[in-house]
Amino acid sequence: MHRILADDLSRLPELLQSARDFAAREVTGVSDRPVVGLDRAPGRESLPGEGAGAKGALARFAERWAPGFSGSAGPRYLGFVTGGATPASVAGDWLTSAFDQNVSGAAGSWATALERETVAWLRELFGLGEAHSGAFVTGATVSTTVGLAVAREWVGERLGVDVSRAGAAALGPVEVLSGCPHSSVAKALSVLGVGRDRLRLVPVLPGREAVDVDALEAALAALDGRPAIVVANAGTVDTVDFDDLRAIAALKERYGFWLHVDAAFGGFAALSPAHAHLVDGLDAADSVCVDLHKWLNVPYDAAVQFTRRRDLQVRVFHNAAPYLGPPSGEPDFLHLTPENSRRLRALPAWFSLVAYGRAGHREIVERNVALAARLGEGVGALDRLRLLAPVRLNVVCFTLAEDPTPERVAALADAVAATGEAFLTPTVYGGVPGLRAAFSNWRTSEADTERVLAALTEALSD
Ligand SMILES: *Cc1c(COP(=O)(O)O)cnc(C)c1O
């Protein structure tokens, strides 16, 4: 063994302790540091010939890189839809690395069973029935890619084409309909060989991001019996609008389509009795995507995918190798997702669900919703700002009351970031450049929301 490795091995507990101390300081203090680093990243160094040991690596990281890392785990990073990491999920994540399991049934570990237990808990949390099976993936984009891969296979089944063998080209053009799809849907269609251009936008309701179900029905009727894929949205990123899932699912009685629901963060509405109606009908979906690194507040990267057609999923993702044997009974995860080898991504979620339960996670969701409403009121009360949409759940979408050019809105975002107090991200809603403040972090408090409002006020006075 190389002498530095041997030295690290002999001091393993001490090394893990120093990493723990460093992490604890960083995470505890995240609220007191600037939310985003504004300085340029350091230049690239050459590959170390001789190593510095784990302690040396930690020192170098702390000195060179950590100062420019954002406070995205903290309470006032409201860009994108970010989410932090609950204390228990961080512990679970550490242990995922420490145990370093390859989640494959053939690998001689209980890790597969733990992932199955976690998927079953999540299914229940989101109000899905036993007909849905699921697996962990890295994020909503991959979750949607898996769901649409199964959808593609289903279209093939309808047309008498085995897509997994014959290829996507054998299908001919596939119809994909959606009202207000997330950008990841087009990406997934590109990856799957269906093609970005096959995504057809169906009109949305006036002043909304929810699909006009009558228009969707008309589009389906015009297909004359050709099978289609419908991507419904449960929580759009700008205004957190929800398609009427129940009404869309009811169309399945008359039209043949696969229903995929992108519930990346909107699925968490199911945790709040006051908002659960927004995801009524979710269980009728053929496939569902839910992100976990957003509103479950587990570390990147984690999402779950669900489907009612695991048989088709296995057809797509089956990894045939003599040493693996055929996927019989409950298929191994390596026959269900793009990866073969995969980390025990379920463990952080398992830790958080055990630690805080349904009630704890419900409280996070409800607090974030209340705080978004509070910020929405505050923004509405500022003369120089106006809301671009009502605050439906956890996102405040707003712009300058006057002359909201892309440049002026970007300058406002920069001025907010420069206060060090908050981070918001730009968007364009209804053709108007604006900013979004998305609440999904477990730590965000009322005091934080006031600090965000103060940062906005300060940025506007520049
Ligand atoms: C974030 C998000 C995605 C993509 O999720 P990733 O985890 O970044 O892959 C897809 N759909 C919606 C609605 C989202 O909010």
Side-chain angles (χ1 to χ4, degrees):
M1 189 183 284
H2 188 280
R3 81 184 152 71
I4 302 179
L5 272 176
D7 187 43
D8 273 4
L9 177 59
S10 71
R11 296 191 300 151
L12 196 54
E14 181 197 326
L15 295 173
L16 293 179
Q17 184 66 36
S18 39
R20 186 218 78 99
D21 292 345
F22 177 70
R25 262 195 317 278
E26 290 293 313
V27 177
T28 310
V30 70
S31 207
D32 306 322
R33 288 194 308 278
V35 175
V36 281
L38 296 169
D39 296 336
R40 251 179 195 291
R44 201 179 292 170
E45 285 184 350
S46 48
L47 169 71
E50 293 299 321
K55 203 148 194 183
L58 178 61
R60 289 273 265 290
F61 170 70
E63 183 210 320
R64 273 188 80 216
W65 292 107
F69 276 27
S70 75
S72 59
R76 294 183 310 285
Y77 187 98
L78 307 182
F80 313 102
V81 180
T82 299
T86 60
S89 75
V90 173
D93 201 65
W94 284 353
L95 294 175
T96 301
S97 294
F99 278 91
D100 195 22
Q101 303 288 286
N102 186 358
V103 191
S104 155
S109 167
W110 289 356
T112 303
L114 183 143
E115 178 164 336
R116 290 201 178 112
E117 175 171 273
T118 314
V119 168
W121 288 353
L122 291 166
R123 177 174 66 194
E124 191 180 333
L125 193 67
F126 301 122
L128 300 174
E130 305 243 317
H132 277 280
S133 63
F136 270 75
V137 288
T138 52
T141 302
V142 174
S143 177
T144 281
T145 304
V146 171
L148 295 182
V150 183
R152 187 187 60 179
E153 204 65 24
W154 174 86
V155 172
E157 185 182 66
R158 281 297 183 100
L159 299 176
V161 177
D162 182 344
V163 182
S164 76
R165 307 197 77 89
L171 272 184
V174 177
E175 299 289 341
V176 187
L177 304 171
S178 187
C180 194
H182 187 267
S183 52
S184 56
V185 174
K187 178 171 174 173
L189 294 174
S190 166
V191 170
L192 294 169
V194 171
R196 294 174 192 264
D197 290 353
R198 301 311 306 167
L199 179 57
R200 190 136 59 85
L201 299 186
V202 177
V204 290
L205 296 169
R208 297 273 306 273
E209 288 189 299
V211 74
D212 177 340
V213 179
D214 292 337
L216 177 63
E217 172 160 19
L220 288 166
L223 294 178
D224 245 351
R226 267 180 298 144
I229 299 170
V230 172
V231 178
N233 302 293
T236 55
V237 287
D238 282 339
T239 71
V240 200
D241 213 338
F242 289 75
D243 288 350
D244 185 340
L245 301 179
R246 237 213 276 256
I248 295 171
L251 295 176
K252 290 178 94 182
E253 286 167 21
R254 268 164 292 153
Y255 308 96
F257 62 91
W258 179 274
L259 177 56
H260 175 78
V261 178
D262 178 355
F265 67 95
F268 285 83
L271 277 66
S272 157
H275 299 94
H277 66 275
L278 295 168
V279 287
D280 269 358
L282 186 65
D283 185 49
D286 297 293
S287 54
V288 177
C289 141
V290 189
D291 236 330
L292 302 175
H293 51 222
K294 289 176 180 166
W295 228 350
L296 192 69
N297 279 267
V298 299
Y300 289 106
D301 43 17
V304 63
Q305 61 76 219
F306 295 103
T307 184
R308 292 172 162 273
R309 289 296 304 272
R310 193 153 66 180
D311 58 325
L312 296 179
Q313 185 168 356
V314 169
R315 215 147 82 183
V316 180
F317 294 102
H318 176 206
N319 185 54
Y323 60 90
L324 294 170
S328 58
E330 194 151 27
D332 204 70
F333 287 112
L334 66 80
H335 300 304
L336 295 171
T337 63
E339 304 89 2
N340 280 346
S341 301
R342 50 207 281 287
R343 79 198 306 263
L344 182 50
R345 197 166 272 121
L347 192 57
W350 186 95
F351 259 75
S352 207
L353 292 170
V354 171
Y356 314 114
R358 189 197 286 271
H361 281 279
R362 167 184 165 177
E363 192 277 333
I364 296 172
V365 169
E366 292 183 330
R367 173 159 39 90
N368 285 159
V369 170
L371 295 175
R374 167 69 198 114
L375 185 70
E377 280 165 24
V379 163
L382 292 173
D383 286 342
R384 295 186 57 194
L385 298 179
R386 70 180 170 91
L387 291 176
L388 277 169
V391 180
R392 290 201 179 84
L393 202 65
N394 60 326
V395 175
V396 185
C397 188
F398 63 95
T399 193
L400 289 161
E402 274 174 37
D403 200 18
T405 60
E407 295 74 24
R408 295 188 73 224
V409 170
L412 177 60
D414 289 347
V416 170
T419 65
E421 283 286 285
F423 180 68
L424 313 177
T425 42
T427 189
V428 176
Y429 176 66
V432 183
L435 293 178
R436 296 167 59 259
F439 289 77
S440 51
N441 188 291
W442 66 282
R443 287 171 79 154
T444 313
S445 66
E446 235 165 273
D448 288 309
T449 308
E450 296 311 318
R451 280 172 72 174
V452 172
L453 203 52
L456 261 171
T457 310
E458 183 187 334
L460 283 166
S461 68
D462 286 348

